[in-house]
Amino acid sequence: MKNRTLHYIIRFLLGEDIPGEVVAAVGYTNNPKLYDRYSIVIVPSGFFNDHIYGTPASLPELPLQEIEGTPLLFGKPQIEQVGDTLVIHADLVASTYFLITRYEEIIQRNERDEHGRFPGKKSLPYRAGFLHRPIVDEYRLLLRKWLQRYGLRIPDISPHIQRIYLTHDLDAPILYRSWKGVVRSVKDGRGLLHSIRGKYGPVENDPYYTFPWMYQQNKMLRDQVGKNNCQPILFIRSGGKSKQDKPHYRLKNGDICQLIQNTLANDMIIGLHSSYQAGLDPALIHKEKKNLEENTGKSIRCNRHHFLASREPEDMTQLEAAGITDDFTMGYADAAGFRLGTSYPVRWINPMNRRLSSVLLHPLTIMDCSLEEKKYMGFNQEEALAYSLNLIGQVKKAGGELTLLWHNTSAQENTGSYLRKLYSHLLNELAKNEDCYYCRRQTPVCQGGYGQPGDPGT
């Protein structure tokens, strides 16, 4: 383990509000002669040993042990006092590393779905029954409690959602605004005259063009909780020729230009929605980012992969090389929850060489279609609401950040889907539950120390 990476993990585990001298008081060693240098020692489990790391033998076995009610991936749930040092045999460092790096996805690269994604239902958190819990954040709570028990003055974590990201992916912006759309409209029974009016009339009449409603919903929440605490982002695709990248839309198209201007006027950030093709050939990410910047006049710092098809480690390497600072892909398509084991943004660590990168990963908490689609979770409206509120409650308890992904196509009216109503319901719950938010002071502390996407990660 590289010292810089190890220090980052311990610092991440403790939290950014912990003084440096307290971080230095936490050691990671199995040498008893060094114990007296630290207030707390976490004993390595052997996960990082050269003959174990990177092999199938390094994967945890089920069922997992627990320490004070929290699943433990490595080590033993044992704590002892050795002299003046609290010695923890639960390897929280390796357990955290395993989750925040998505280590198992590298070891099991043959385990992929039809889109090249590691299935959430094959992941250890899902199989062990804790995907709905950010257990790395639970480790943080435990460590702080143990440090307090030792006598150090450690602040309690305030149960507030520190920041909300309302994100939208521009997969299919319009339905009937082309001649192909006219033909489709006629086939759908709308009549030729009505369909031609749909092509040449206001774009707001198109059933997919639900952005004005989404702007309104997002503004309602931002007005309630404060703009510094809630940031909408629209991820726009600027390339991709595969069939999964259909419908192909041009950034110079009049409707798309109008959408971009309206998005910026509504104080939304524009991010790159890396194409499906770029997922197969990550070298295309830089070209797509440059194309989006040229057509929007904005510096692009945020990314989300189309289909959430994030492949390791090539895609992250290319994101970093292209100047992307914040990635919002980190959720499973087939199961909503905590893919990284945390509700906090965390810097990507390359499991191949254990190098700490500059790319900040923002956990994707809830995606609309994950909840509703039969091939994924298949929830009805009541189940989806209950599950979503539980995830939001987990984020609040941990003091982390919440990211929602809702597509414009999910906000259509009269489709038989509950997703439009669910989005409105969730935002209204967040807006009225003012205890979910930090204070209203417009300071970096109030933003959880993260600021806007694109600010340097700590």
Side-chain angles (χ1 to χ4, degrees):
M1 170 70 79
K2 297 181 178 181
N3 288 336
R4 185 164 174 252
T5 303
L6 174 60
H7 177 79
Y8 175 79
I9 291 175
I10 293 176
R11 158 62 76 185
F12 180 78
L13 263 174
L14 289 170
E16 292 299 322
D17 59 334
I18 298 298
E21 58 268 22
V22 175
V23 178
V26 178
Y28 187 60
T29 179
N30 56 10
N31 185 349
K33 294 181 180 180
L34 302 179
Y35 286 178
D36 60 1
R37 297 184 182 182
Y38 305 102
S39 302
I40 285 183
V41 164
I42 300 172
V43 178
S45 59
F47 169 79
F48 293 108
N49 292 352
D50 290 341
H51 66 284
I52 294 177
Y53 186 89
T55 71
S58 64
L59 297 175
E61 294 184 0
L62 299 179
L64 298 176
Q65 299 183 82
E66 293 189 350
I67 182 163
E68 298 192 24
T70 297
L72 177 64
L73 277 59
F74 300 102
K76 298 178 291 185
Q78 176 185 347
I79 301 175
E80 61 177 332
Q81 191 79 31
V82 178
D84 292 330
T85 303
L86 194 65
V87 178
I88 301 166
H89 293 269
D91 192 347
L92 304 185
V93 171
S95 298
T96 296
Y97 177 95
F98 182 95
L99 292 167
I100 64 175
T101 63
R102 293 161 27 248
Y103 172 86
E104 67 174 328
E105 301 179 27
I106 289 287
I107 301 303
Q108 304 177 91
R109 297 196 75 168
N110 61 328
E111 189 70 76
R112 296 293 187 268
D113 67 8
E114 68 272 23
H115 300 296
R117 305 173 298 195
F118 189 86
K121 293 178 181 178
K122 294 288 186 178
S123 70
L124 177 76
Y126 184 89
R127 292 184 294 112
F130 63 81
L131 183 61
H132 63 291
R133 293 168 57 185
I135 67 166
V136 172
D137 300 346
E138 293 183 25
Y139 295 155
R140 175 177 296 190
L141 292 169
L142 286 174
L143 264 179
R144 286 178 173 232
K145 182 176 71 173
W146 294 333
L147 285 166
Q148 289 172 340
R149 184 186 303 169
Y150 186 85
L152 296 175
R153 299 186 65 179
I154 304 297
D156 291 328
I157 290 177
S158 182
H160 301 282
I161 298 177
Q162 302 239 10
R163 193 163 177 81
I164 299 173
Y165 291 104
L166 304 174
T167 70
H168 313 288
D169 292 352
L170 193 62
D171 295 339
I174 46 182
L175 181 60
Y176 295 133
R177 300 287 286 180
S178 66
W179 284 114
K180 286 184 178 179
V182 170
V183 173
R184 179 174 178 179
S185 179
V186 172
K187 289 182 177 179
D188 288 345
R190 285 175 169 81
L192 180 60
L193 183 60
H194 180 88
S195 300
I196 291 177
R197 286 175 177 169
K199 173 174 169 53
Y200 291 107
V203 68
E204 288 80 6
N205 292 340
D206 190 274
Y208 281 8
Y209 203 87
T210 59
F211 301 101
W213 179 83
M214 298 178 85
Y215 296 150
Q216 182 183 40
Q217 294 293 308
N218 295 348
K219 182 178 184 301
M220 176 276 298
L221 181 59
R222 298 190 81 196
D223 287 347
Q224 185 67 26
V225 305
K227 291 185 176 181
N228 280 358
N229 296 321
C230 180
Q231 178 62 61
I233 307 175
L234 178 65
F235 292 96
I236 300 177
R237 209 166 59 241
S238 62
K241 298 180 179 179
S242 69
K243 67 177 183 179
Q244 289 84 3
D245 289 316
K246 291 182 178 180
H248 302 130
Y249 54 83
R250 296 181 300 107
L251 297 182
K252 295 186 182 297
N253 173 273
D255 291 334
I256 302 301
C257 288
Q258 177 183 327
L259 172 60
I260 289 173
Q261 293 307 311
N262 290 341
T263 296
L264 294 173
N266 280 275
D267 198 23
M268 292 180 68
I269 291 174
I270 289 178
L272 174 65
H273 197 32
S274 295
S275 69
Y276 192 94
Q277 185 183 6
L280 301 173
D281 182 6
L284 294 173
I285 291 173
H286 188 275
K287 179 181 179 181
E288 293 183 4
K289 174 178 178 285
K290 183 178 179 181
N291 184 37
L292 186 59
E293 288 178 330
E294 290 174 350
N295 280 275
T296 61
K298 295 294 181 180
S299 176
I300 302 301
R301 310 289 294 277
C302 302
N303 173 78
R304 175 180 286 134
H305 289 278
H306 194 28
F307 277 69
L308 301 185
S310 177
R311 296 168 176 82
E312 291 282 15
E314 298 82 8
D315 53 351
M316 289 296 176
T317 302
Q318 289 295 334
L319 287 178
E320 187 176 25
I324 294 293
T325 58
D326 295 73
D327 184 81
F328 288 79
T329 310
M330 292 300 105
Y332 292 118
D334 61 335
F338 300 96
R339 183 178 183 178
L340 299 173
T342 180
S343 62
Y344 284 79
V346 60
R347 288 171 65 180
W348 176 60
I349 300 170
N350 188 340
M352 303 298 288
N353 56 22
R354 294 173 243 188
R355 185 182 73 85
L356 184 65
S357 84
S358 60
V359 178
L360 198 64
L361 307 180
H362 295 265
L364 172 56
T365 320
I366 305 170
M367 180 173 71
D368 47 12
C369 54
S370 299
L371 302 171
E372 185 182 49
E373 289 194 16
K374 298 298 182 185
K375 64 179 179 180
Y376 295 150
M377 304 185 85
F379 286 154
N380 62 34
Q381 183 172 349
E382 291 74 22
E383 292 168 336
L385 175 62
Y387 189 81
S388 297
L389 291 178
N390 176 65
L391 293 179
I392 290 171
Q394 294 283 345
V395 174
K396 175 184 175 182
K397 179 181 177 182
E401 70 175 35
L402 175 71
T403 298
L404 305 181
L405 165 53
W406 241 255
H407 297 80
N408 55 293
T409 50
S410 296
Q412 295 181 79
E413 294 185 274
N414 306 317
T415 62
S417 168
Y418 60 74
L419 292 176
R420 179 183 172 102
K421 290 181 179 179
L422 179 61
Y423 188 65
S424 182
H425 194 148
L426 292 179
L427 266 58
N428 276 287
E429 286 292 323
L430 289 166
K432 72 183 183 182
N433 187 0
E434 301 204 19
D435 286 342
C436 284
Y437 300 95
Y438 212 73
C439 65
R440 298 297 183 261
R441 293 172 296 159
Q442 306 301 307
T443 67
V445 173
C446 291
Q447 299 171 34
Y450 307 131
Q452 295 287 338
D455 289 351
T458 51

